[in-house]
Amino acid sequence: MIYYFIGLQHKPFSKVLVILGCSICGILGSYGVAWFGIRINTTANSRTSFAALRGNPLQTLFIPLQAGMSIGLLLICVELACMIGILAFIPADLAGSCFIGFAIGESLGASALRIGGGIFTKIADIGSDLMKIVFNLPEDDPKNPGVIADCTGDNAGDSVGPTADGFETYGVTGVALIAFLSLALALSPLLCAKLIIWMFAIQVLMVLTSLGSFYFNMVVAKFRYSDNKDFNWEAPLTDLVWITSIVSILVCFGASWLLLGDFTIGGLGEIHLPNLWWVLSSIVGCGTLAGALIMEFTKIFVSTKSRHVQEITTASDHGGASLNVLSGLVAGNFSAFWMGLVILALMFVSYLFSLNDDFMHLIPAKFVFGAPIFAFGLVAFGFLAMAPVTIAVDSFGPVTDNAQSVFELSRIEKLPDISAEIEKDFGFKPDFRTAKLELEKGDGAGNTFKATAKPVLIGTAVVGSTTMIFGIIMLLEHVFGDAVSRLSLVMPQIVFGLLMGGAVIYWFTGASMQAVVAGAYSAVVFIKTHIKLDTESASIEDSKRVVEICTRYAQKGLINIFIVVFCFALGLPFI
């Protein structure tokens, strides 16, 4: 960044320091929300385990959901505060560069946490689970030194990574839309400002909408399930997503009507755009609806009661590990296909809306090719309209997973006179059998909704990056002219870039899996050497050593991936 802004753009060092400050702010933002997320989830783990002893499944369900909602709300509020701060306090000639610096910073921070956390959790998971098979140990047996690393990995991979990823995705999508509008409407700053204000207003309202929907869903859940001791844990989570999606769409329409209902474009003569408010709201609604539809389609393949999951169970019973893996790959591939079709269908609907005359009037004739791309960016914007709820159901998974682990590791039911002690100190008689059952149900629901949230964040990144790419194309068109006509699939440079981009995906997959395999091997060797089956639990030092092994190999894999990907990105333009 220093070389680009000083060496190529010849900006004063004082201004470059401001840009670097925004980049550092992005890195610290990703780290900060991830730290908050893991702290909240770690606290919620034990609270959920203890609440399960009361035998009230609804109360147990609300604890991880409230923890996830607090993370989601903080994440979005910090993101909005940073972006509004750049708009309000950074000089106009630096705001664009600061936005780019901020986006780069949060992307770097989130990538490190996402990749490193993902490698860590898989090393720990594989190492711990293999030892269960080798020594015939039950789930989360304290004798296994890898259990603590496994629990740590659940937080690192399923809490830290997705939280930082959500922060980065939300910010980069917003920056992509702001950059697109700034480039397309460079000659109409007032029009650009109105649309950016509309975007931020919708974002703020969506935070309030998500919070209101959450409390409304709590009331509905208490009415439906308060007297029911055996309900499907997925039902209240599904209701929350649908309620938030519908209410967000309605609020978006109402706010757009208030802000853009009498929208006009000045110039030689004012042009009234009476349909713009509902066209923009419909496009954003496509993205908001996607959050609910993706959830439903994902549940078809990963829900504990789905046919595909039952097939995997049957395959495991009769064909062992080989058929288990193959059956899981079948479900995963079909799931990816249908996720792609859902996103494609909603993007197509948004494209049809973008053909509206009022929408087309927003984009200058020179950049008219970018009108559908702006619509795609708004679809990504709609994905994030219910971001607090998306993060909440995603964080629900690691909390319920570790809550079950905390319960098993505590061996609370084996402690002498523990029932009488709990009844004396807390006023209720614990039900250990029901608690274990409810925590297992929560773990299953958590795994399901971890899977439903990831496609939303990934889809947002894909659709949002499309807007960023076309923003770069518009910049090239503005600076050099005739850029669009020179970008064609028949050009060898374009073909080379597409092939290289596709090839890098497979290298990335291989490198991350190699890091996991190497780390898991080292963890397994250590655990097999140091496990003591004649003791009640593994030593603290052995558990720390397994965590250290997972951390070391995760860091090695992260550094390797970062160096090579950066070299690809920087080297390809010079080939």
Side-chain angles (χ1 to χ4, degrees):
M1 288 176 66
I2 294 174
Y3 170 74
Y4 174 77
F5 286 113
I6 294 181
L8 298 180
Q9 291 203 342
H10 308 293
K11 286 185 179 291
F13 185 69
S14 59
K15 292 186 176 181
V16 176
L17 280 180
V18 175
I19 298 171
L20 291 176
C22 290
S23 183
I24 294 172
C25 180
I27 295 174
L28 293 178
S30 292
Y31 173 81
V33 296
W35 174 84
F36 178 81
I38 197 170
R39 292 295 299 168
I40 291 293
N41 284 350
T42 303
T43 303
N45 296 337
S46 54
R47 289 187 60 203
T48 303
S49 294
F50 187 76
L53 297 175
R54 295 180 180 271
N56 187 338
L58 191 62
Q59 182 184 7
T60 309
L61 179 147
F62 280 144
I63 291 174
L65 197 56
Q66 287 174 321
M69 197 67 191
S70 65
I71 297 169
L73 288 171
L74 178 88
L75 183 154
I76 303 305
C77 290
V78 171
E79 185 74 61
L80 288 175
C82 291
M83 296 180 71
I84 292 174
I86 293 174
L87 278 177
F89 301 112
I90 300 296
D93 62 326
L94 274 181
S97 299
C98 287
F99 268 123
I100 298 299
F102 177 72
I104 292 173
E106 60 184 356
S107 294
L108 288 174
S111 297
L113 294 170
R114 185 63 149 165
I115 297 170
I119 294 174
F120 183 104
T121 188
K122 295 311 170 190
I123 292 173
D125 206 357
I126 293 171
S128 176
D129 288 348
L130 284 177
M131 292 302 95
K132 290 189 300 186
I133 298 171
V134 171
F135 295 104
N136 195 27
L137 297 175
E139 182 77 15
D140 299 319
D141 193 302
K143 296 184 182 71
N144 187 349
V147 170
I148 298 300
D150 188 12
C151 295
T152 305
D154 288 333
N155 278 324
D158 295 327
S159 176
V160 168
T163 303
D165 190 23
F167 183 82
E168 178 266 344
T169 302
Y170 196 93
V172 170
T173 302
V175 170
L177 281 170
I178 292 172
F180 185 93
L181 288 174
S182 299
L183 291 167
L185 304 176
L187 299 178
S188 305
L190 183 59
L191 174 59
C192 179
K194 287 182 179 179
L195 291 175
I196 290 176
I197 291 172
W198 168 78
M199 284 172 44
F200 277 102
I202 295 297
Q203 286 177 323
V204 172
L205 287 172
M206 291 305 102
V207 173
L208 300 176
T209 298
S210 297
L211 183 61
S213 299
F214 173 77
Y215 283 112
F216 178 74
N217 182 66
M218 286 185 66
V219 174
V220 172
K222 288 178 180 179
F223 178 77
R224 294 177 62 186
Y225 307 114
S226 59
D227 297 327
N228 190 346
K229 299 295 183 181
D230 185 24
F231 63 89
N232 184 359
W233 276 48
E234 294 179 11
L237 300 175
T238 302
D239 293 343
L240 174 61
V241 174
W242 273 109
I243 290 171
T244 307
S245 179
I246 293 170
V247 174
S248 296
I249 292 173
L250 295 176
V251 169
C252 182
F253 270 88
S256 298
W257 177 74
L258 290 173
L259 293 172
L260 305 177
D262 57 349
F263 197 84
T264 57
I265 298 179
L268 296 177
E270 283 195 350
I271 302 175
H272 187 52
L273 305 179
N275 299 318
L276 182 63
W277 69 273
W278 66 262
V279 173
L280 291 175
S281 299
S282 299
I283 295 172
V284 172
C286 288
T288 307
L289 185 63
L293 291 178
I294 287 175
M295 173 197 67
E296 293 293 349
F297 275 84
T298 305
K299 283 170 59 181
I300 293 173
F301 298 94
V302 301
S303 174
T304 54
K305 299 183 181 300
S306 72
R307 182 170 61 86
H308 290 276
V309 171
Q310 300 304 319
E311 288 178 357
I312 295 172
T313 303
T314 304
S316 303
D317 289 338
H318 297 284
S322 298
L323 281 185
N324 173 281
V325 172
L326 291 173
S327 184
L329 286 173
V330 169
N333 285 321
F334 281 135
S335 175
F337 169 76
W338 285 107
M339 294 305 100
L341 281 189
V342 169
I343 295 173
L344 177 64
L346 291 168
M347 289 178 69
F348 177 72
V349 173
S350 71
Y351 163 72
L352 296 179
F353 280 116
S354 73
L355 299 178
N356 183 275
D357 288 340
D358 286 9
F359 189 87
M360 297 294 289
H361 271 108
L362 289 178
I363 310 298
K366 180 181 179 181
F367 300 125
V368 70
F369 66 89
I373 307 304
F374 179 45
F376 296 159
L378 290 177
V379 171
F381 180 76
F383 269 91
L384 297 172
M386 44 191 289
V389 169
T390 301
I391 298 298
V393 297
D394 191 27
S395 296
F396 183 90
V399 174
T400 52
D401 191 352
N402 276 351
Q404 185 184 17
S405 298
V406 168
F407 184 87
E408 296 291 346
L409 287 169
S410 69
R411 294 169 294 172
I412 187 172
E413 69 272 21
K414 296 181 181 179
L415 297 178
D417 300 323
I418 189 63
S419 294
E421 183 179 343
I422 291 176
E423 188 171 9
K424 176 185 177 183
D425 292 342
F426 300 98
F428 69 92
K429 187 174 183 179
D431 186 344
F432 299 111
R433 184 175 179 277
T434 301
K436 187 172 183 178
L437 177 63
E438 292 303 326
L439 289 173
E440 288 176 351
K441 289 167 64 177
D443 189 15
N447 286 327
T448 297
F449 276 84
K450 279 192 296 187
T452 65
K454 286 177 175 62
V456 176
L457 295 175
I458 294 171
T460 305
V462 171
V463 180
S465 64
T466 304
T467 307
M468 181 68 81
I469 291 170
F470 273 82
I472 295 172
I473 293 173
M474 291 170 59
L475 178 62
L476 295 174
E477 180 76 19
H478 178 73
V479 175
F480 299 106
D482 199 31
V484 176
S485 61
R486 296 167 61 186
L487 294 174
S488 171
L489 286 176
V490 300
M491 293 180 62
Q493 294 91 334
I494 301 297
V495 176
F496 294 155
L498 290 173
L499 292 176
M500 179 57 74
V504 169
I505 294 173
Y506 291 95
W507 181 90
F508 179 91
T509 304
S512 57
M513 291 178 68
Q514 183 185 46
V516 170
V517 171
Y521 172 79
S522 295
V524 166
V525 170
F526 178 85
I527 294 172
K528 287 179 68 175
T529 305
H530 293 80
I531 192 170
K532 298 178 178 63
L533 299 177
D534 56 347
T535 61
E536 287 293 323
S537 61
S539 69
I540 296 177
E541 291 303 318
D542 287 346
S543 297
K544 286 183 177 181
R545 179 63 177 150
V546 177
V547 172
E548 181 187 337
I549 292 171
C550 297
T551 303
R552 185 172 70 251
Y553 279 91
Q555 290 173 340
K556 287 182 178 180
L558 170 65
I559 294 171
N560 179 40
I561 290 171
F562 257 59
I563 291 174
V564 175
V565 170
F566 270 110
C567 289
F568 274 129
L570 295 176
L572 188 60
F574 297 100
I575 296 178

